[in-house]
C-alpha cells in the first residue's frame, strides 16, 4: 500500500516536471508572436524577458523590427511588462528606453517576478503569458505559476553567463519533445 502511494507520488512529480518543462508553443523570435494568435488564446498581457528575447544577451541595441513589434502589441491593446533575471544596471536602461515597467533579479524559475507582474498588469492568470528563451527560467517559471509560456528560440547563439551556458545544454531534449508531440514552429 505504502509502496503504491510512493510510486504514485513519484509518477505525479515526474509528470508535473515534464509538463512544466515542455514548451506549449515555440516561436522563431519575438516578432513571430502575432496579435491574432494572442486573441485566439485569450491573452491580453505579456511578461517579457530581455536577454536573447528582445535583444541579444546583455545588449542595449533595440532593433527596428522589435520596436515595431512592441508598437504593434500596444496598438492591439496588449499590456506589456519586463521580468528579467539580470541586474537593474542592465535591465533599467533598456526598459526605460522602450517605456516599460520592469523587475530585475527575478530569480526565474521562481515565480515571484510573475506575481509582481500580474499585480502590475491587473489581469487574471489565463490572460497573461511569459515570453522568453530559456526552458529552465522562463518556461519553468510560467509552469510553476500556472500561466502559458510563449517560448522563443534564443535571439542569438551567445550567452555570457556561465550558469546560462550550462542550462542551455539541457534544453534540446525539451524542445525536441515539443516537436515530437506535433508542435509547430511559429515563424
Ligand atoms: Mg533570456
Amino acid at each position: 500500500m505504502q509502496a503504491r502511494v510512493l510510486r504514485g507520488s513519484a509518477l505525479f512529480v515526474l509528470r508535473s516536471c515534464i509538463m512544466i518543462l515542455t514548451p506549449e508553443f515555440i516561436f522563431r523570435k519575438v516578432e513571430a508572436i502575432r496579435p491574432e494568435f494572442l486573441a485566439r488564446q485569450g491573452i491580453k498581457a505579456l511578461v517579457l524577458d530581455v536577454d536573447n528575447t528582445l535583444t541579444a544577451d546583455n545588449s542595449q541595441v533595440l532593433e527596428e523590427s522589435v520596436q515595431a513589434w512592441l508598437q504593434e502589441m500596444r496598438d492591439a491593446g496588449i499590456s506589456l511588462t519586463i521580468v528579467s533575471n539580470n541586474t537593474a544596471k542592465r535591465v533599467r536602461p533598456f526598459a526605460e528606453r522602450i517605456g516599460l515597467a520592469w523587475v530585475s533579479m527575478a530569480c526565474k524559475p521562481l515565480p515571484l517576478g510573475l506575481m509582481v507582474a500580474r499585480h502590475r498588469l491587473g489581469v487574471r492568470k489565463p490572460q497573461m503569458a511569459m515570453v522568453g528563451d530559456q526552458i529552465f527560467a522562463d518556461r519553468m517559471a510560467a509552469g510553476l505559476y500556472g500561466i502559458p509560456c510563449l517560448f522563443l528560440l534564443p535571439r542569438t547563439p551567445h550567452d555570457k553567463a556561465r550558469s546560462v551556458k550550462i542550462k542551455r545544454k539541457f534544453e534540446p531534449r525539451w524542445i525536441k519533445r515539443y516537436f515530437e508531440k506535433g508542435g509547430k514552429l511559429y515563424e
Side-chain angles (χ1 to χ4, degrees):
M1 177 68 181
Q2 222 174 11
R4 202 186 301 162
V5 171
L6 275 175
R7 202 165 47 234
S9 306
L11 267 176
F12 175 77
V13 171
L14 186 68
R15 277 202 202 105
S16 303
C17 285
I18 291 172
M19 260 178 65
I20 64 171
L21 291 174
T22 309
E24 306 133 291
F25 309 100
I26 300 186
F27 295 81
R28 167 87 61 195
K29 53 186 178 176
V30 76
E31 296 96 312
I33 299 174
R34 312 301 314 148
E36 310 82 62
F37 172 88
L38 299 178
R40 276 200 306 275
Q41 300 294 328
I43 295 169
K44 298 180 184 324
L46 296 178
V47 182
L48 304 169
D49 171 53
V50 179
D51 293 298
N52 265 327
T53 289
L54 293 178
T55 185
D57 193 19
N58 269 290
S59 165
Q60 294 294 334
V61 173
L62 176 60
E63 289 173 47
E64 263 179 41
S65 59
V66 174
Q67 199 166 7
W69 178 80
L70 288 166
Q71 191 53 50
E72 193 180 11
M73 290 295 118
R74 287 177 170 119
D75 292 345
I78 304 296
S79 304
L80 306 169
T81 196
I82 283 176
V83 173
S84 167
N85 278 359
N86 215 325
T87 60
K89 192 178 165 202
R90 183 272 182 274
V91 177
R92 175 186 276 151
F94 191 82
E96 287 183 349
R97 191 159 157 216
I98 58 178
L100 292 182
W102 50 279
V103 173
S104 62
M105 303 290 280
C107 300
K108 292 174 283 181
L110 297 181
L112 299 171
L114 293 178
M115 288 178 198
V116 175
R118 188 166 84 87
H119 183 73
R120 191 180 276 166
L121 295 164
V123 292
R124 290 182 292 112
K125 281 189 185 179
Q127 296 175 313
M128 66 189 280
M130 177 75 222
V131 177
D133 67 296
Q134 278 192 58
I135 295 283
F136 297 97
D138 307 301
R139 171 65 188 106
M140 204 170 164
L144 288 172
Y145 193 48
I147 63 169
C149 179
L150 312 184
F151 183 77
L152 310 178
L153 298 181
R155 199 159 188 89
T156 72
H158 309 293
D159 298 293
K160 291 207 167 76
R162 189 154 176 264
S163 58
V164 177
K165 285 182 189 170
I166 292 168
K167 286 187 281 181
R168 287 280 186 224
K169 292 189 171 70
F170 299 93
E171 288 184 337
R173 68 172 297 172
W174 301 105
I175 294 170
K176 188 172 161 222
R177 189 166 190 275
Y178 168 81
F179 290 115
E180 280 172 356
K181 282 178 63 193
K184 73 166 194 173
L185 180 62
Y186 291 81
E187 313 243 18

